[in-house]
Amino acid sequence: MEKNIAVIKGDGIGPEIVNEAIKVMDKVAEKYGHKFNYTEVLMGGIAIDTVGVPLPQETIDKCLASDSVLLGAVGGPKWDKGEGKMRPEAGLLGIRGALKLFANIRPAKLLKPLASACPLKTDITDQGLDLVIVRELIGGAYFGEKKTYVNENGEKTASDLMIYSDHEIERICRVAFDMAKKRRGKVTSVDKANVLDSSRLWREVSHRVAAEYPDVEFSDMLVDNTAMQLVRNPAQFDVIVTENLFGDILSDEASMITGSLGMIPSASLGEGSLGLYEPIHGSAPDIAGQNKANPIATILSAAMMLRYSFDMGKEADAIEAAVDKALEAGLRTGDIMSEGMTLVSCSEMGDRIAGFID
Ligand code: IPM
Ligand code: MG
């Protein structure tokens, strides 16, 4: 198969980690007889510096015209002082919105070779940790009306509207239930229905969808309790479905308890097969350009692209198996380094993983 991939390398460590993912994808293409064509497009801080906006229209057009999008990371201290619309993050939110990518899939799994990096006690991790967060990605407070103004008392005031309509909740719940059917058959819907109207609607709609999936075990959980349960007993979760802001927070927590933020990929999907694939970590400006970053989350994001956008299941399995082999061989970047392991650079990690593709 021939596929066209738009590539957003972005800022900080973005270019380094994306290069390694491409290296691994090219190895897959060679072994399995595919052709991947890459078109680099600008987004984030580099786009602000080069063309004056974080998300040029040309980037949106080229992404829409491609079969899928691979993204490194955007942002950095250089652009932190910009106002809302001129920040690199606005590019990320803009592309998610423009491509209508409403479903963000964030798996968190404890990999055996990295168990020692997990901050939880072994009696907790012995129960296992293999969950997926399905985060609504283009609604809620991120996309609701935003206002900064001076109120009647002359005081600066700001608000972000957390808003959801029925169909937005329904479609993301369906993604979660369909996913649960392919996994351990359990969905936990996370909300704050004891306080928020938007959460009460969330609960109503999620229960309606749940009724269509009688073979999936379903429950609600309040978001504060979920934050606590994730560290107390993460084995209870299979698929967690939640709104945008809650999902942002809980997915960082979930990734941390697996041992490294540098390991977790993500897929952002809409109605069609076009998706955006990116590591969940940021642009790590402190180590940018030093060939030290961990490319594994980006490489695993490429595997998700093959699986979800291109329907190349065995090729995706091959990438995941190659990552396991690299870890089992004791190869570690600095963020996951531990005693007795072999410290490798970003590009060496990419080389070795590509070498394990078969
Ligand atoms: C994420 C990030 C983004 C988000 C930021 C960079 C805008 O934290 O993908 O989780 O909040 O969605
Ligand atoms: Mg986040």
Side-chain angles (χ1 to χ4, degrees):
M1 259 192 266
E2 181 166 352
K3 295 287 178 190
N4 298 315
I5 301 168
V7 175
I8 303 173
K9 292 188 175 176
D11 310 314
I13 58 170
E16 301 159 55
I17 54 180
V18 168
N19 288 344
E20 299 316 308
I22 289 178
K23 192 185 273 175
V24 174
M25 283 200 290
D26 281 342
K27 193 62 189 290
V28 168
E30 184 194 314
K31 290 253 172 181
Y32 291 83
H34 302 302
K35 188 164 189 288
F36 299 138
N37 307 312
Y38 309 97
T39 307
E40 232 183 280
V41 290
L42 292 177
M43 193 181 93
I46 184 170
I48 295 175
D49 289 352
T50 320
V51 292
V53 288
L55 180 62
Q57 184 61 41
E58 190 190 345
T59 294
I60 298 178
D61 294 342
K62 287 194 170 153
C63 288
L64 281 169
S66 68
D67 294 309
S68 203
V69 185
L70 181 67
L71 167 63
V74 296
K78 181 175 176 194
W79 305 281
D80 268 353
K81 290 194 186 66
E83 50 142 336
K85 285 194 202 88
M86 280 307 283
R87 294 176 59 100
E89 291 81 1
L92 185 56
L93 300 185
I95 194 81
R96 288 171 178 171
L99 304 185
K100 299 193 176 65
L101 305 172
F102 64 85
N104 185 225
I105 316 293
R106 298 189 163 182
K109 192 173 170 180
L110 188 69
L111 302 171
K112 280 252 164 57
L114 293 183
S116 65
C118 172
L120 300 180
K121 289 190 182 142
T122 44
D123 61 327
I124 297 176
T125 49
D126 282 349
Q127 313 294 311
L129 197 182
D130 179 3
L131 59 91
V132 177
I133 296 187
V134 175
R135 168 189 175 193
E136 198 293 324
L137 201 60
I138 53 173
Y142 276 64
F143 284 80
E145 190 188 355
K146 295 181 179 301
K147 278 194 246 169
T148 302
Y149 58 100
V150 177
N151 74 9
E152 59 276 18
N153 303 321
E155 195 181 0
K156 200 165 182 192
T157 305
S159 69
D160 303 89
L161 183 66
M162 187 187 269
I163 181 168
Y164 273 103
S165 57
D166 192 313
H167 82 280
E168 293 175 296
I169 303 170
E170 180 173 328
R171 66 185 178 186
I172 191 71
C173 286
R174 282 188 196 288
V175 171
F177 281 94
D178 288 337
M179 181 153 301
K181 278 171 72 173
K182 294 188 206 140
R183 292 175 46 95
R184 300 195 305 279
K186 191 172 170 188
V187 170
T188 308
S189 171
V190 172
D191 62 35
K192 188 70 185 171
N194 53 348
V195 177
L196 302 175
D197 267 17
S198 56
S199 280
R200 284 189 274 270
L201 178 63
W202 186 280
R203 210 167 260 217
E204 185 185 316
V205 176
S206 60
H207 280 250
R208 192 178 75 217
V209 176
E212 294 174 34
Y213 293 82
D215 42 352
V216 175
E217 192 188 325
F218 175 69
S219 58
D220 304 301
M221 194 177 278
L222 294 172
V223 63
D224 48 352
N225 184 29
T226 311
M228 188 267 275
Q229 295 295 338
L230 270 172
V231 290
R232 198 186 73 94
N233 175 18
Q236 70 185 289
F237 297 111
D238 179 19
V239 176
I240 290 176
V241 61
T242 192
E243 69 89 37
N244 206 345
L245 183 58
F246 298 162
D248 178 46
I249 299 167
L250 293 178
S251 60
D252 267 27
E253 186 187 1
S255 67
M256 186 59 213
I257 60 175
T258 68
S260 173
L261 203 60
M263 301 293 301
I264 311 286
S266 82
S268 301
L269 307 169
E271 298 290 358
S273 65
L274 172 67
L276 177 121
Y277 298 83
E278 57 173 319
I280 86 155
H281 61 71
S283 60
D286 53 321
I287 56 162
Q290 298 172 36
N291 199 16
K292 279 187 185 165
N294 183 350
I296 292 181
T298 317
I299 292 169
L300 291 174
S301 300
M304 290 184 94
M305 174 187 292
L306 302 190
R307 178 171 293 120
Y308 291 117
S309 281
F310 303 160
D311 208 13
M312 296 178 181
K314 63 178 191 315
E315 291 85 337
D317 289 345
I319 295 182
E320 286 163 0
V323 168
D324 283 347
K325 282 184 196 151
L327 293 172
E328 275 157 21
L331 305 172
R332 299 287 188 273
T333 44
D335 59 318
I336 49 173
M337 183 60 190
S338 61
E339 219 184 300
M341 300 294 129
T342 309
L343 183 67
V344 294
S345 66
C346 178
S347 56
E348 278 165 340
M349 185 62 103
D351 286 340
R352 297 296 300 270
I353 292 172
F356 282 123
I357 296 289
D358 49 31

